[in-house]
Amino acid sequence: MNIMVVGVGGQGTLLTSRIIGKTALAGGYDVKLSEVHGMAQRGGSVVTYVRYGDKVFEPTCEEGTVDVLISFERLEALRYAHFLKKDGIMVVNDTRIDPMTVVIGAKEYPQGILEELSQNHRIYTIDGGKIAKELGNSKVLNSVVLGLSAKHIGFTKEEWIKVLQETVPPKTIEINTKAFERGYDA
Amino acid sequence: MAEKRIMLGNDAIARGAYEAGVKVSSSYPGTPSTEISEFLAKYDEVYTEWAPNEKVALEAAAGASLAGVRSMACMKHVGLNVASDPLYTLAYTGVNGGLVIVVADDPGIASSQNEQDTRMIARSAHLPVVEPSDSNEAKEFFKYAFDLSEKYDTPVIFRTTTKLSHSQSVVELGERVVPEDKAYERQVPKYVMMPASAIGRHKVVEAREDKMTLDAPSFPINKVEYNDKKIGFITSGIPYQYVKEACPQASVLKLGVVNPLPKALIEEFVKEVETVYVFEELEPVIEEQVRAWGLNVKGKELFTKQGEYSANMLKKVIYGIDECQFDKAEAPARPPILCPGCPHRSVFSVLNKLKIHAAGDIGCYTLGAVAPLNVIDTTICMGSSISLLHGMEKAKGKEYIKNWVATIGDSTFLHTGVNSLINMVYNKSTGTVMILDNRTTGMTGHQEHAATGKTLKGEDTYAIDLADLCRSIGVPNVVEINAFDVPGLEKLIKESVSSDTLTVIIAKAPCALLKGQKFPNKCVVDAEKCKKCGMCMKIGCPAMTKTENGTVKIDETMCNGCGLCKNYCKFGAISTVER
């Protein structure tokens, strides 16, 4: 299973992929995960990969091999869509964050991204930011997105929640669990 | 059964150090090596520290080795350049307690200024290199590196790459085994590298390398996997994983020790297998040696010297298969940017306004080179901003640099910048140096340094006062200022660049990502007052966007509340309000 989590530095994509990795490990699989650190994290486009199976070799997913692409932002979904395999699916957090190239007017933010992508791919969308805000902490948007993704990846809801609760900071267990469930039941 | 855990490569290296009985580790942060020291610091049994630079770190580790314990130093590839002075001569002296130097290469340049290959340096220094291909190997090979170091009386380079350091895979934990401390013995011919001793030790170095070359075929971490003998690969590290992914049926000679090479083993492999590819990222280090022995292999004529490799690349070259099902979409780039509330943005916004060029340095502030700030003109290496500015003045005279400053971070200043400043004082330069003091080593993820008052272990310590340090080496004019004081900065920079007195401006404000650094307020735009002039957008804050009607909007969750934008609105349309 090849999963790719993409977004904008600071959105919590890394924690999401770690929870996926731990859940797969608990499920008895060999797991590899690849992360981005350093300068690339500073508000840039960030990518993490999770792969699991009986035996995993390389720690990254390559173009044309991804089963589930989880994107925390629309433009990032567009940027990495070609990593999907033919019947791969996409989970998109329906939000727009302008890159600096757009902010300064050098480029335009593409219109109709989701419509365009849905011509070739099966897409599930959610407004994680809105749900997180309703729950009272905009930071838990990653748990909302994880919840929706989890339903399409596999493992039981209980298995996911167990790992989630072991991984997030103790003070935020309750709100993260709620956020996950909102995504899962969406 | 031993505990199994999914671990980051860097975490696994730290675990390997712990299990190997390492007692002392000294390092300087640098992506992708930084987390090794941070993970290692969590083990109470191991002394770990941040040194001001990699040369100091390696010398400290060498001192610990001399005193008879297992010791190590960690750095990124370019850090090894800084440490290369002790490195080349430590190859001559050898070790007492085992000494391993972790060097993290960055193929693909995820967070570096070049793509140099550490194996080339190791070869010229005649040092063995151990290279793992996943987290479990990282831990196990690290222990083995100490065995090699002690058996052959040599420092050992442990090479990792970005992909290995920053990927996680399953690791089986072991126990810590601490070898008995070695006794120290005064040995002038071995440890005092004056000419008479060094001449003798050079012979030892060569003999050691010859011996290791002879022994290398039997090193247990050099492995042959014979499968289909039509096609085979000589490889190591992460590229091994690409080979297994793309060509699972191929024969593989996987090297755990990439210098010196197991000549006899390679000769046999090339004889047994019909077509042999050398699959190595960056320089053709293995390939050139193998070819020099007269063996027929394929390599860099098919595979690039640049960037990271992949399984897809291998499939394309070997089988002509393209895995990609969909075309890559056109999407506006999203390069990294300074964070909302970053104090560097404030300083750069003033330099931009004054049309001043900056000789830059290594840190987040390199991002001041790109639009819309466009301030940084040069980035070479740690500490170079100050020396470059000095050199420009010596070339063209003091008038020439009246629209220039050097900008350098606090950690980078202590790393090597201070040497360059001593040169400016000594050789009578008149330029302006700006220390962007954000109280941390920012880009690598917030490490302590000699001016923060905390050690790597989190203990309190003396905090070097940067202003006092500059004054004590003779800088005639040292001024400290709040980095967000825009009018004050503007006045100060104008005065100092036009004067003929060497000036250090220390622009102080903590990194916006440090804990508790969020300002209590948030910035809001009064759309009625906004004249759509776009002046505030010139600071390049990611929390600010233009709405469809042209007025500016500030995203409240992204806004850090620093208030910098207010300084650039002539119409009073931006104000700070309570969150």
Side-chain angles (χ1 to χ4, degrees), chain B residues 348-421:
Chain B
F348 291 154
S349 72
V350 175
L351 292 172
N352 175 293
K353 187 179 172 193
L354 298 176
K355 297 192 166 55
I356 286 178
H357 301 257
D361 225 292
I362 305 291
C364 289
Y365 39 87
T366 306
L367 297 172
V370 295
L373 293 162
N374 300 318
V375 165
I376 301 281
D377 279 29
T378 69
T379 298
I380 311 291
C381 67
M382 298 285 284
S384 64
S385 57
I386 301 176
S387 345
L388 285 177
L389 181 68
H390 170 80
M392 290 173 89
E393 179 174 353
K394 293 305 164 192
K396 293 279 200 171
K398 63 188 179 191
E399 292 308 315
Y400 188 78
I401 55 155
K402 294 291 187 209
N403 61 344
W404 276 82
V405 296
T407 55
I408 185 167
D410 42 341
S411 186
T412 308
F413 177 71
L414 289 170
H415 177 281
T416 32
V418 66
N419 301 289
S420 307
L421 189 61

Side-chain angles (χ1 to χ4, degrees), chain B residues 436-457:
Chain B
L436 311 179
D437 181 6
N438 65 357
R439 310 311 296 164
T440 189
T441 316
M443 189 168 79
T444 44
H446 303 117
Q447 287 71 38
E448 305 293 345
H449 60 67
T452 65
K454 290 272 186 200
T455 68
L456 170 56
K457 286 276 193 184

Side-chain angles (χ1 to χ4, degrees), chain B residues 217-232:
Chain B
S218 64
F219 292 158
I221 62 174
N222 290 332
K223 274 189 186 153
V224 182
E225 303 168 12
Y226 280 124
N227 291 308
D228 178 1
K229 290 195 175 175
K230 281 212 176 72
I231 173 172

Side-chain angles (χ1 to χ4, degrees), chain A residues 7-9 14 18 21-22 25 29-45 49 51 55-60 62-65 73 75-76 78-79 81-87 97-104 107-110 116 120-121 133 138, chain B residues 4-6 8 31 35 110-111 133-134 163 166-170 238 240-242 244-245 309-313 315 323-339 363-364 366-367 371-372 442-446 513 537 540-542 544-545 556-558:
Chain A
V8 179
L14 187 54
R18 283 181 178 172
K22 277 188 181 178
L25 187 69
Y29 289 107
D30 184 26
V31 181
K32 284 191 180 173
L33 227 130
S34 192
E35 316 179 343
V36 176
H37 294 240
M39 182 183 261
Q41 277 180 303
R42 302 277 174 261
S45 167
Y49 309 90
R51 304 188 67 211
K55 171 80 188 151
V56 178
F57 290 105
E58 69 162 307
T60 43
E62 298 194 14
E63 296 171 353
T65 70
E73 200 267 354
L75 178 59
E76 297 313 304
L78 178 68
R79 190 187 314 284
H82 65 289
F83 274 75
L84 280 169
K85 57 164 77 150
K86 210 149 206 174
D87 52 352
I97 300 173
D98 286 358
M100 195 47 69
T101 43
V102 170
V103 171
I104 63 173
K107 287 272 161 64
E108 277 196 26
Y109 194 98
E116 192 192 319
N120 281 326
H121 312 284
K133 226 174 177 180
S138 55
Chain B
K4 272 189 181 178
R5 223 188 269 174
I6 177 159
L8 200 63
T31 312
E35 302 82 9
S111 197
S133 73
D134 63 22
K163 192 139 283 175
H166 289 161
S167 65
Q168 299 198 25
S169 56
V170 182
I238 286 286
Y240 166 78
Q241 309 293 357
Y242 302 139
K244 296 301 283 184
E245 198 77 40
Y309 283 5
S310 67
N312 277 0
M313 162 193 187
K315 283 181 199 165
E323 287 285 348
C324 212
Q325 308 282 333
F326 303 105
D327 291 336
K328 197 174 170 179
E330 281 280 325
R334 192 189 297 276
I337 38 170
L338 295 172
C339 306
C364 289
T366 306
L367 297 172
M443 189 168 79
T444 44
H446 303 117
L513 296 185
M537 300 294 283
C541 176
M544 305 176 78
T545 45
E556 66 169 310
T557 52
M558 272 176 109

Side-chain angles (χ1 to χ4, degrees), chain A residues 65-131:
Chain A
T65 70
V66 170
D67 297 286
V68 182
L69 172 68
I70 303 167
S71 179
F72 279 57
E73 200 267 354
R74 288 203 297 266
L75 178 59
E76 297 313 304
L78 178 68
R79 190 187 314 284
Y80 296 105
H82 65 289
F83 274 75
L84 280 169
K85 57 164 77 150
K86 210 149 206 174
D87 52 352
I89 65 157
M90 205 186 262
V91 176
V92 184
N93 179 40
D94 193 1
T95 194
R96 167 178 169 168
I97 300 173
D98 286 358
M100 195 47 69
T101 43
V102 170
V103 171
I104 63 173
K107 287 272 161 64
E108 277 196 26
Y109 194 98
Q111 299 299 314
I113 290 176
L114 296 178
E115 292 75 22
E116 192 192 319
L117 289 174
S118 61
Q119 289 177 7
N120 281 326
H121 312 284
R122 200 144 45 100
I123 305 187
Y124 302 91
T125 59
I126 194 162
D127 190 343
K130 194 174 144 213
I131 295 172

Side-chain angles (χ1 to χ4, degrees), chain B residues 199-274:
Chain B
I199 288 166
R201 289 304 294 181
H202 194 176
K203 291 175 191 151
V204 173
V205 170
E206 250 183 67
R208 177 180 71 210
E209 201 164 42
D210 290 346
K211 174 83 169 86
M212 285 192 85
T213 304
L214 274 181
D215 294 352
S218 64
F219 292 158
I221 62 174
N222 290 332
K223 274 189 186 153
V224 182
E225 303 168 12
Y226 280 124
N227 291 308
D228 178 1
K229 290 195 175 175
K230 281 212 176 72
I231 173 172
F233 291 89
I234 301 172
T235 188
S236 72
I238 286 286
Y240 166 78
Q241 309 293 357
Y242 302 139
V243 169
K244 296 301 283 184
E245 198 77 40
C247 313
Q249 82 299 344
S251 293
V252 183
L253 169 50
K254 177 177 179 294
L255 300 170
V257 179
V258 292
N259 191 56
L261 293 175
K263 191 178 174 194
L265 201 62
I266 291 173
E267 282 171 339
E268 189 194 299
F269 187 77
V270 174
K271 213 168 89 187
E272 288 285 323
V273 178
E274 215 174 287

